[in-house]
Amino acid sequence: TITDDNDCPASTSVTVFVNSQPVITILTPAECSPDLTTWSVLVLATNANQVTATSGVVQQMGLDTFLIHSIPSANSITVSALDTQTGCNASLFIANPGCNCPVILPPVSNGDTAICSGEPIPALSVSLPAGPFTADWYAAPAGGTPLATGTVLFVPAGAGTYYAETRDTLSGCVSDSRTPVTLTIHPNPTAAISGQTTICEGDSTTLTASGGTAYSWSTGATAAAITLSPSVNTSYTVTVTDGNGCTATATATVTVLPNTSSNISASICEGDSYQFGQQILTQDGTYTQTFTAANGCDSVVNLTLTVLPVSNTNLTASICEGDSYQFGQQTLTQAGTYSQTFTAANGCDSVVNLTLTVLPVSNTNLSASICEGDSYQFGQQTLTQAGTYSQTFTAANGCDSVVNLTLTVLP
């Protein structure tokens, strides 16, 4: 109702309609995507038929329910709700939820590993916290290029300390620290056998192993030193174990040299001696002496010794006067007793004693006569002429008997 200047009233009526204001409500808290690169939020927008956001994708899920997703993790958004019929609108600022990597626990080592040189290299291993986690392996506690990815087991190329890092397979987030796991490769010991490896038959030897803390022989013995008496050439092997449990082997061959035995015989002449090793022998008998052979072992020699007799012979001989007698190296012309030593058939001395007699040579003068026309038989000669003749005959003692004949021929 209004009144003019004349105080005349007039009235009219107007109807005012009040539309409902759109209301935006967050139904679920903002949530990061598994890879932490985007986030999403579910909102309820009432009294509106159009919902927009400054980032991300708006997807209507129900009558008044809208999912805003694929929002870059660094962005915050403003959500607007509009009633296109009334033009009423509302907006709501929603901050990003901070899609940063959470704290991820490092792996837990399943233990360092030690092996001996030459053994297969085993896998190092770690355990991971529950969740979509895996492990990556590095050569350094920080930085560097992975040696292996996506595995709790890692077979290294050699000895060293390796580092395992936990990685979220969805987000790619990793643990702040890496877990060291060490592979130690112990060198094998050096096995050696010392001792006499050449012995004589019947002897023994001691072999001593070195290079470890425990020993196992092919004989079953477990001491470092063993004493052996093989009868034939034999090889012995020892396995040496050191403080790390690593082993090595060594082999030694014991060579057994034979002892020899021989029988010999010898003879000496009576009065002589025989040197047999350290013994000086003069009597018949069987003797044994042990010598050292060329191979260094015993050589047993059995000796049968024979003592040969020395002969002593007495001889007599005679020669005619003017002759000589050959007695060994002596030429004898005088009567007497002589001795000469010869070598007998048995090789010993043969002493010969000679009594030499010198027989006289006779000289006889004869005279004879024959009648003229007759002859005279004088030995082998038939004489008819007067003259002096000589003829040598053999006397009764075997020596010459010279007969001088004077022959006369009578008229």
Side-chain angles (χ1 to χ4, degrees), residues 97-274:
C99 296
N100 298 318
C101 288
V103 174
I104 297 177
L105 296 176
V108 176
S109 171
N110 289 331
D112 293 338
T113 300
I115 62 172
C116 299
S117 178
E119 293 180 351
I121 294 179
L124 305 180
S125 67
V126 292
S127 297
L128 298 173
F133 299 114
T134 189
D136 299 329
W137 294 82
Y138 295 83
T145 302
L147 300 175
T149 59
T151 177
V152 294
L153 300 176
F154 170 60
V155 179
T161 299
Y162 300 89
Y163 300 85
E165 180 179 81
T166 303
R167 176 170 53 85
D168 187 326
T169 58
L170 299 178
S171 67
C173 294
V174 297
S175 57
D176 290 337
S177 63
R178 296 172 181 171
T179 299
V181 186
T182 299
L183 171 66
T184 301
I185 301 179
H186 296 296
N188 291 321
T190 300
I193 299 175
S194 60
Q196 181 64 43
T197 56
T198 300
I199 63 173
C200 297
E201 186 179 0
D203 290 348
S204 63
T205 185
T206 297
L207 300 181
T208 302
S210 60
T213 57
Y215 304 91
S216 176
W217 291 87
S218 53
T219 62
T222 56
I226 58 173
T227 299
L228 308 160
S229 299
S231 59
V232 296
N233 296 350
T234 306
S235 294
Y236 299 92
T237 299
V238 65
T239 299
V240 173
T241 304
D242 65 11
N244 296 317
C246 297
T247 62
T249 61
T251 299
T253 298
V254 177
T255 301
V256 181
L257 301 177
N259 295 320
T260 59
S261 179
S262 58
N263 298 315
I264 62 172
S265 60
S267 61
I268 59 173
C269 297
E270 187 178 3
D272 290 345
S273 63
Y274 186 86

Side-chain angles (χ1 to χ4, degrees), residues 15 83 87-89 111 126 162 182 207 231 254 308 341 378:
T15 300
D83 185 340
C88 295
N89 65 79
V126 292
Y162 300 89
T182 299
L207 300 181
S231 59
V254 177
L308 302 175
T341 301
F378 185 42

